[in-house]
């Protein structure tokens, strides 16, 4: 799968500055120009509280960041066979991520092209076609309109294309990203150096083969989605916010990675462009991730079982059971923590639903995957609640309108090393990752971004054919005049 | 199954039997032993009261060594194939109790007010055991902390063991539909 997944992508043969949204090939840039406003809100070392609290800004985020920017949609392993689908979100839009008969991945809008009914209500399934329950229109897995009962009640049926709307989707090694941008930068350019870290994450699994479990743990918190983003690369909070988790580790006589003194811990964070960043904790744990694991349910049994299989169990196998201690954050909605893929889903300016997907290693003894589930439940129980508590308390604190600014200056001119491309390396106390993604937020939010809905057979519609004829005769007339 | 290492077989057997306890609800006879159900109901109601009143150490003492506490994300899930919210053994239960008292567990302090309501208790003896019974009940939990209220309803499935000192809890499974839809964290649940 590559950049050319949408073979029928209409944008390549059409003019770009089309603003009449009634046209089937409309390219529309919505909302106000915010250049001056974001200049005011995002400074070098401080961020305005409204970035987290303002519902109007939130609505624009749903268009420009969760719509017109590459977002993570899902993983190909969630839809292994033709007809398999999972219901996903791109901002507020429901997306049916489906595998077609040809084995391609599509991101169909879960919105009937007749009057708007969602086509599927289930979170996942396998379908031969998608039939709308309201008036029975049926669409094939590619989004083509397949049947329309009582078609003769339309006088000009094919004037407007009724094929299902789609987003542009591109995969990188199984990770599917999608966007509605009319003219997005290539996914490769968007990922930039983050792609190497993503590759490393995938390659850590034997045979580079991973499988994402379809059912995520879904938990919500009453605060802005960017709280999760601020936290994802915040190395120093672990010592304080997760004090309870660390004490629990001490009780079990395990020195959890989080409990080490932040002043002397050699972890490093790197900003990676386009808001992405990574925190590499490995320098702080010479004995490997498994050495930091507390006793867990079934641990002794599964350890004994692995040893009973005989031979030397390589350290990589043990380490597969826990995370790789590299936290990769791909803006705006893909966070790698431990063996989980965390997908923040913004609900409103002050509510977020976090989706925790568990990744399984396919080519590895069963014990490893069984252990992964129990490892995963550990931090969900004893760590995440304390993170959420912090997010909600920050959101409450930000209700003080007179305290307008949130400080994110830590590390700036005090330990951060900035390279020739402007990317920063900092120790775990640095807030460079926050400053970095905020600059990307500012770039994306500043101006309306042209978006378009992809649709099969747009060029076949009578409307488009008439447009083409008109354009051709105009060109011919112009030639005659000469 | 026979060529599986022991530790793996043991783990998988536990998971299979947890799933079997859920499936049992579909085939269990409607007519059950009323006297047994009444006896079990007293234990389940007592358990709820101990938890509501934060008597976690007393509650922990009710548990058998071979404890299992499972809270799946969905009623159809399997602990060997799906991540769950909770899949605890005796030791992790001990950790949960420890955290309930930990004043740096920021998500749990100030302490919540919680009321659990237990209803519709049914119980059946387990054919393969002379001491253990299986019971199911409906539960509604109202949780208040820092001005926010969470209400959670579910079905519990318990395995209880008759001992000289009264009933022990061997297993507890909680099926709560709201979890699959997504809800605030349940870091406080027991
Ligand atoms: S809304 Fe779908 S067929 Fe009418
Ligand atoms: Fe955290």
């Amino acid at each position: 799968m590559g950049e050319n997944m949408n073979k029928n992508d209409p944008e390549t043969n059409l003019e770009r500055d089309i603003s009449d949204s009634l046209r089937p090939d409309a390219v529309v840039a919505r909302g106000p120009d915010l250049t001056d406003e974001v200049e005011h809100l995002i400074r070098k070392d401080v961020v305005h509280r409204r970035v987290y609290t303002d519902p109007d800004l939130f609505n624009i985020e749903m268009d420009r960041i969760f719509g017109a920017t590459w977002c993570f949609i899902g993983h190909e392993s969630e839809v292994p066979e033709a007809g398999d689908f999972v219901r996903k979100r791109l901002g507020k839009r429901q997306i049916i991520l489906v595998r077609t008969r040809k084995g391609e991945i599509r991101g169909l809008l879960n919105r009937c092209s007749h009057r708007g009914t969602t086509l599927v209500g289930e979170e996942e399934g396998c379908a031969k076609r998608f039939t709308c329950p309201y008036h029975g229109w049926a669409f094939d897995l590619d989004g083509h309109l397949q049947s329309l009962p009582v078609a003769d009640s339309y006088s000009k049926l094919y004037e407007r294309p009724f094929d299902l709307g789609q987003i542009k989707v591109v995969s990188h090694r199984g990770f599917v990203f999608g966007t509605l941008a009319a003219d997005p930068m290539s996914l490769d350019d968007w990922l930039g150096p983050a792609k190497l870290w993503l590759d490393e994450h995938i390659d850590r699994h034997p045979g580079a083969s991973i499988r994402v479990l379809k059912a995520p743990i879904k938990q919500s918190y009453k605060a802005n989605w960017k709280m999760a983003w601020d936290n994802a690369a915040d190395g120093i909070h672990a010592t304080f916010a997760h004090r309870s988790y660390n004490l629990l580790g001490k009780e079990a006589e395990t020195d959890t990675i989080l409990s080490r003194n932040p002043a002397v811990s050699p972890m490093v964070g790197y900003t990676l462009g386009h808001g992405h960043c990574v925190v590499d904790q490995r320098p702080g744990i010479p004995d490997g991730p498994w050495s930091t694991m507390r006793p867990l349910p079934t641990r002794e049994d599964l350890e004994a079982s692995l040893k009973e299989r005989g031979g030397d169990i390589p350290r990589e196998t043990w380490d597969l059971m826990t995370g790789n201690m590299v936290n990769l954050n791909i803006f705006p909605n893909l966070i790698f923590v431990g063996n989980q893929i965390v997908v923040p889903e913004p609900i409103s300016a002050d509510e977020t639903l976090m989706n925790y997907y568990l990744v399984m290693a396919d080519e590895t003894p069963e014990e490893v995957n069984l252990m992964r589930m129990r490892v995963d439940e550990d931090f969900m129980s004893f760590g995440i609640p304390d993170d959420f508590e912090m997010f909600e308390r920050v959101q409450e604190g930000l209700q003080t309108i007179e305290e307008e600014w949130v400080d994110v200056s830590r590390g700036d001119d005090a330990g951060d090393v900035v390279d020739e491309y402007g990317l920063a390396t900092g120790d775990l106390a640095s807030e460079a990752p926050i400053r970095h993604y905020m600059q990307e937020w500012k770039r994306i939010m500043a101006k309306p971004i042209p978006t378009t809905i992809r649709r099969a057979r747009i060029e076949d519609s009578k409307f488009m054919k008439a447009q083409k004829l008109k354009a051709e005769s105009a060109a011919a007339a112009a030639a005659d005049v000469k | 199954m026979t060529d599986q290492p022991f530790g793996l077989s043991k783990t998988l057997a536990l998971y299979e039997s947890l799933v079997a306890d859920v499936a049992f609800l579909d085939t269990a006879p409607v007519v059950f032993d009323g006297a047994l159900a009444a006896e079990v109901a007293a234990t389940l109601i007592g358990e709820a009261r101990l938890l509501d009143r934060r008597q976690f150490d007393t509650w922990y003492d009710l548990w058998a060594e071979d404890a299992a506490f499972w809270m799946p994300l969905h009623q159809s899930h399997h602990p060997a194939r799906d991540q769950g919210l909770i899949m605890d053994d005796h030791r992790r239960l001990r950790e949960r109790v420890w955290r309930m008292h930990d004043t740096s567990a920021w998500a749990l302090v100030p302490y919540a007010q919680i009321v659990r309501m237990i209803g519709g208790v049914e119980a059946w003896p387990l054919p393969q055991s002379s001491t253990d019974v299986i019971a199911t009940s409906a539960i509604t939990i109202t949780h208040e902390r820092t001005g926010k209220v969470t209400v959670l309803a579910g079905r519990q499935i318990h395995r209880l063991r008759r001992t000289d000192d009264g009933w022990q809890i061997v297993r507890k499974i909680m099926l709560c539909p709201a979890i699959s839809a997504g809800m605030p964290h349940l870091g406080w649940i027991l």
Side-chain angles (χ1 to χ4, degrees), chain A residues 244 294 300 356 374 376 386, chain B residues 15 83 91 95 102 107:
Chain A
S244 176
R294 296 183 312 102
E300 287 83 354
Y356 299 85
R374 307 296 84 91
D376 172 30
D386 294 336
Chain B
Y15 294 166
Q83 54 178 344
R91 182 172 56 201
E95 294 177 336
D102 178 19

Side-chain angles (χ1 to χ4, degrees), chain A residues 72-75 78 86-89 123 211-218 333-335 337-345 354-360 376 380, chain B residues 83:
Chain A
F72 176 65
I73 305 293
H75 192 267
E78 294 177 82
V86 281
R87 190 159 61 118
K88 299 289 186 175
R89 295 270 188 312
E123 290 297 318
R211 181 166 45 88
V212 174
L213 296 187
K214 278 185 230 184
I217 299 175
K218 296 182 184 185
N333 72 337
L334 177 57
I335 301 175
V337 187
N339 292 320
Q340 283 176 323
I341 294 175
V342 188
V343 182
E345 191 180 312
M354 298 292 271
N355 296 271
Y356 299 85
Y357 291 89
L358 182 59
V359 177
M360 297 300 216
D376 172 30
M380 285 306 306
Chain B
Q83 54 178 344

Side-chain angles (χ1 to χ4, degrees), chain A residues 89-121:
Chain A
R89 295 270 188 312
L90 173 59
K92 297 285 175 187
R93 310 157 197 91
Q94 292 190 19
I95 308 294
I96 308 171
L97 188 72
V98 62
R99 192 176 289 273
T100 67
R101 263 174 245 286
K102 284 189 211 133
E104 294 173 334
I105 303 281
R106 297 254 172 199
L108 306 176
L109 295 173
N110 191 15
R111 181 210 180 276
C112 182
S113 55
H114 177 213
R115 292 225 304 264
T117 313
T118 54
L119 294 173
V120 300

Side-chain angles (χ1 to χ4, degrees), chain A residues 367-442:
Chain A
E367 290 89 338
V368 170
N369 284 327
L370 287 172
M371 203 66 248
R372 278 188 162 212
M373 287 184 277
R374 307 296 84 91
V375 168
D376 172 30
E377 290 147 9
D378 202 54
F379 202 67
M380 285 306 306
S381 297
F382 304 132
I384 304 271
D386 294 336
D387 279 323
F388 282 17
E389 179 72 11
M390 296 308 122
F391 303 167
E392 294 185 351
R393 288 201 190 185
V394 173
Q395 194 78 20
E396 285 171 19
L398 295 186
Q399 300 308 310
T400 305
I401 54 176
E402 293 76 12
E403 286 276 27
E404 291 186 45
W405 299 98
V406 179
D407 190 284
V408 292
S409 67
R410 208 161 178 158
D412 192 20
D413 274 338
D416 285 2
V417 181
V418 181
D419 72 11
E420 60 200 285
Y421 306 105
L423 300 182
T425 302
D427 66 20
L428 90 169
S430 172
E431 285 162 346
I434 303 179
R435 295 191 293 277
H436 178 64
Y437 93 81
M438 280 296 181
Q439 290 304 321
E440 183 66 4
W441 184 91
K442 179 173 159 182

